[in-house]
Amino acid sequence: MAITVVGSVAYDSIETPAGRRERCLGGAATHFSLAASFFTDVRVIAVVGEDFGPEQEAVFKKRNIDIQGIERAPGKSFFWEGSYLDNLNEAKTHITDLNVFASFEPKIPDAYRDSEFLFLANIDPVLQRRVREAMPDVKLVAGDTMNYWIKDHKPALLEVLKGLDILLINDTEAKMLAGNNNLVQAAKAVIDMGPHTLIVKHGEYGATAFFGKGSISHSAHGDFHAFRAPALPLEEVVDPTGAGDSFAGGFFGYLASQPELTPATFRRAMFYGSVMGYFAVERFGTERIQDLTRKEIDDRFILFRELTHLD
Amino acid sequence: MAITVVGSVAYDSIETPAGRRERCLGGAATHFSLAASFFTDVRVIAVVGEDFGPEQEAVFKKRNIDIQGIERAPGKSFFWEGSYLDNLNEAKTHITDLNVFASFEPKIPDAYRDSEFLFLANIDPVLQRRVREAMPDVKLVAGDTMNYWIKDHKPALLEVLKGLDILLINDTEAKMLAGNNNLVQAAKAVIDMGPHTLIVKHGEYGATAFFGKGSISHSAHGDFHAFRAPALPLEEVVDPTGAGDSFAGGFFGYLASQPELTPATFRRAMFYGSVMGYFAVERFGTERIQDLTRKEIDDRFILFRELTHLD
């Protein structure tokens, strides 16, 4: 089944202890859709400027990603410059130029309307909500957000959460959103805000899914429980940019590829999320995911199984 | 097979967000031996003062722990006072009174000499080494240490590491010991110092075992690989004191209870370590582990399996 994703397609200038890259292709919707494209059909809604050319288009087309929903606008594409010199787990933002994104009005192509899965990547919650409302019949909606929206746009974000099945955020964001420093208590509070499932990403420690009422795993396991997908410690993290979006792409892409949503498919989806997030950081920007093969993905899935399974 | 453990038997005064306890029974050897006693025979080497009475003895005896190696000395037992008010992951030490421990000369009872497993709990590496040398024929030696010994007693500690099969420390300690902020690189460096296996404890994220040459899993899986045991996020951590020692006790106790050391028993041992560490923090001091049943342990093992396994 097809996924529609709305989010940023952008240029990133990134500095990490491993080096520096100028204006490489980035943005949450880019990372998400590339990762998800290994599992299912992906359709992107975004806006880019006149600096988005055939070279960038080719990255999506090579992975059969539908980009008729990427609108071209006069001006420049979203640009972000950041570094991870002190701490690989947290980006330091130097420049955020919204450019054409400042006046973005998401439009949904007719050909996208039969998408059964919708992913609201990290953008202004006002836009997330608009896309959600324009696609009321999707089967499953997941979304991401970040500290900026939690802190300064909470009322709009809370409206988005009411329309989500699954929210994916990191530890700090989950605790900030709930105003509670205990992760389990925070997870319960976030689930009360709307999503029946909360996936909390722990960076190199993996990710935990918390299931509430109405979640895929609820009927099988009862009221409130959890599943943890591992990450493998890495000898060298080249660039953490896009790791979370790649996790989301692997996770949601695998779910959408399955004929049925069961607790078992959900668990496998968590593993595929970890696998894609893990590949993403091995090189700058989208370099590693662009080059990936399905065999590499499945081999790493087996590695993650061996890393965590008793036999 | 029996385990001999050398380490502290002490009194702790502890303050956490959940409350305060005065002079409860503590010490690394206490937490370790109580946890290990659910799996195998445990023998303790330590020193206590005149304040260690029948009530404290009874805690060990109820769990069939051999305490003939606990020496009584004139004076007071080791006393520690600490709090976890700001951060449940890091104790703030207010008072450390070595008392009778200041002049401790470990003596190994003859009845302990056939122990096949030796655990060197967190004490002065000079003492750890002396006990190690006095028991040259043990089958497997594991040990623990802490930032204080790494920082200020490194040469003595390095001597201990040469005689260890397995070292158990936390993330910060592993990175500090190796002088390297990347966990995988740090693990490789620590393994080069002596132990063929390094277990790094991640608190609420679980623990990772890194296997080098000569380790139990080496022949089955090749040069350098890892296994991760989970921890469950907790809704309330009452008191983190002793969690690491309880992990070590569950881990080493289960290993010692098995007829053969295989990669599969090692993995199960990691899970039992996580299970015991998880119980330890549910109440103050040794309260929870004292009350535990084997059925509760096995139920939680199953829970950890469900938390991490695909099917």
Side-chain angles (χ1 to χ4, degrees), chain A residues 217-239:
Chain A
S217 286
H218 178 67
S219 56
H221 294 281
D223 247 13
F224 181 82
H225 69 284
F227 178 70
R228 180 164 288 178
L232 214 56
L234 269 169
E235 193 146 2
E236 191 190 27
V237 172
V238 170
D239 172 18

Side-chain angles (χ1 to χ4, degrees), chain B residues 1 5 18-20 31 41 47 62 104 136 142 161 167-168 184 186 193 195 225-226 239 255 273 280 282-283:
Chain B
M1 287 173 280
V5 51
R20 193 179 161 88
H31 290 289
D41 292 335
V47 62
K62 196 186 146 206
F104 180 38
L161 294 184
L167 177 67
L168 294 101
V184 180
M193 296 174 189
H225 69 284
D239 172 18
L255 267 194
E282 287 187 352
R283 278 162 60 189

Side-chain angles (χ1 to χ4, degrees), chain B residues 104-213:
Chain B
F104 180 38
E105 295 279 349
K107 291 165 206 71
I108 296 151
D110 283 341
Y112 286 16
R113 297 223 168 249
D114 64 351
S115 303
E116 294 196 275
F117 285 71
L118 175 63
F119 189 76
L120 309 172
N122 169 35
I123 46 168
D124 187 334
V126 171
L127 301 181
Q128 289 181 314
R129 188 182 173 191
R130 212 170 289 162
V131 173
R132 174 69 185 96
E133 285 174 351
M135 297 184 75
D137 301 324
V138 290
K139 187 173 153 187
L140 203 69
V141 191
D144 189 7
T145 191
M146 68 184 289
N147 48 9
Y148 172 72
W149 307 115
I150 296 170
K151 238 178 93 197
D152 296 336
H153 295 75
K154 200 163 175 183
L157 180 61
L158 291 176
E159 285 305 312
V160 174
L161 294 184
K162 289 181 193 165
L164 283 190
D165 296 305
I166 303 169
L167 177 67
L168 294 101
I169 46 182
N170 68 29
D171 281 88
T172 314
E173 290 158 355
K175 290 172 182 174
M176 187 191 281
L177 179 55
N180 189 320
N181 262 324
N182 177 286
L183 185 62
V184 180
Q185 291 172 19
K188 287 185 174 178
V190 171
I191 284 172
D192 281 341
M193 296 174 189
H196 53 63
T197 301
L198 172 67
I199 296 177
V200 182
K201 294 168 286 180
H202 313 305
E204 65 173 341
Y205 298 116
T208 305
F210 295 95
F211 305 103
K213 262 184 201 166

Side-chain angles (χ1 to χ4, degrees), chain A residues 228 235 267 306-307 309, chain B residues 182 228 267 306-307 309:
Chain A
R228 180 164 288 178
E235 193 146 2
R267 285 163 180 250
E306 282 175 359
L307 180 74
H309 281 51
Chain B
N182 177 286
R228 179 163 289 175
R267 285 163 179 249
E306 281 176 0
L307 180 73
H309 281 49

Side-chain angles (χ1 to χ4, degrees), chain A residues 171 175 182-185 188 202 204-206 208 210 221 224 226-237 263-264 267-268 271 301 305-311, chain B residues 171 175 182-185 188 202 204-206 208 210 221 224 226-237 263-264 267-268 271 301 305-311:
Chain A
D171 281 87
K175 290 171 182 173
N182 177 286
L183 185 62
V184 181
Q185 291 172 17
K188 287 187 175 178
H202 313 304
E204 65 174 342
Y205 299 116
T208 306
F210 295 95
H221 294 281
F224 181 82
F227 178 70
R228 180 164 288 178
L232 214 56
L234 269 169
E235 193 146 2
E236 191 190 27
V237 172
R267 285 163 180 250
R268 293 180 70 85
F271 264 59
F301 186 96
R305 202 189 177 286
E306 282 175 359
L307 180 74
T308 52
H309 281 51
L310 290 165
D311 29 49
Chain B
D171 281 88
K175 290 172 182 174
N182 177 286
L183 185 62
V184 180
Q185 291 172 19
K188 287 185 174 178
H202 313 305
E204 65 173 341
Y205 298 116
T208 305
F210 295 95
H221 295 281
F224 181 83
F227 179 70
R228 179 163 289 175
L232 214 55
L234 269 169
E235 194 147 1
E236 190 191 27
V237 172
R267 285 163 179 249
R268 293 180 70 85
F271 264 60
F301 186 96
R305 202 188 177 287
E306 281 176 0
L307 180 73
T308 52
H309 281 49
L310 289 165
D311 30 48

Side-chain angles (χ1 to χ4, degrees), chain A residues 52-277:
Chain A
F52 185 87
E55 199 190 322
Q56 288 73 39
E57 262 185 31
V59 172
F60 293 89
K61 289 191 171 160
K62 197 185 145 208
R63 298 282 335 135
N64 287 314
I65 297 165
D66 191 336
I67 56 169
Q68 60 178 293
I70 300 187
E71 185 189 335
R72 317 301 167 105
K76 282 180 154 186
S77 299
F78 189 130
F79 173 73
W80 178 80
E81 185 177 319
S83 64
Y84 304 82
L85 295 179
D86 297 331
N87 182 353
L88 275 166
N89 293 313
E90 208 175 338
K92 197 168 166 179
T93 293
H94 303 298
I95 301 170
T96 305
D97 285 338
L98 287 178
N99 296 326
V100 295
F101 233 87
S103 52
F104 179 38
E105 294 280 348
K107 292 167 204 69
I108 296 151
D110 283 341
Y112 286 17
R113 297 225 166 247
D114 64 351
S115 303
E116 293 197 274
F117 285 71
L118 174 63
F119 189 76
L120 309 172
N122 169 35
I123 45 168
D124 187 334
V126 171
L127 301 181
Q128 290 181 314
R129 188 182 173 191
R130 212 170 292 161
V131 174
R132 174 67 184 97
E133 285 174 352
M135 297 183 77
D137 301 324
V138 291
K139 187 173 154 186
L140 203 70
V141 191
D144 189 7
T145 190
M146 68 184 289
N147 47 10
Y148 172 72
W149 307 115
I150 295 170
K151 236 177 94 199
D152 297 335
H153 296 74
K154 201 163 176 184
L157 180 60
L158 290 177
E159 285 305 311
V160 173
L161 294 184
K162 289 182 194 165
L164 283 190
D165 296 305
I166 303 170
L167 177 67
L168 295 100
I169 46 181
N170 69 29
D171 281 87
T172 314
E173 291 158 355
K175 290 171 182 173
M176 187 192 284
L177 179 55
N180 189 320
N181 262 325
N182 177 286
L183 185 62
V184 181
Q185 291 172 17
K188 287 187 175 178
V190 171
I191 284 172
D192 281 342
M193 295 173 190
H196 53 64
T197 301
L198 172 68
I199 296 178
V200 182
K201 295 169 286 179
H202 313 304
E204 65 174 342
Y205 299 116
T208 306
F210 295 95
F211 304 103
K213 262 185 202 166
S215 70
I216 290 164
S217 286
H218 178 67
S219 56
H221 294 281
D223 247 13
F224 181 82
H225 69 284
F227 178 70
R228 180 164 288 178
L232 214 56
L234 269 169
E235 193 146 2
E236 191 190 27
V237 172
V238 170
D239 172 18
T241 313
D245 302 312
S246 301
F247 179 101
F251 163 76
F252 216 47
Y254 179 78
L255 268 193
S257 76
Q258 295 302 297
E260 218 188 332
L261 297 183
T262 66
T265 54
F266 197 95
R267 285 163 180 250
R268 293 180 70 85
M270 289 283 291
F271 264 59
Y272 278 113
S274 272
V275 163
M276 299 309 283

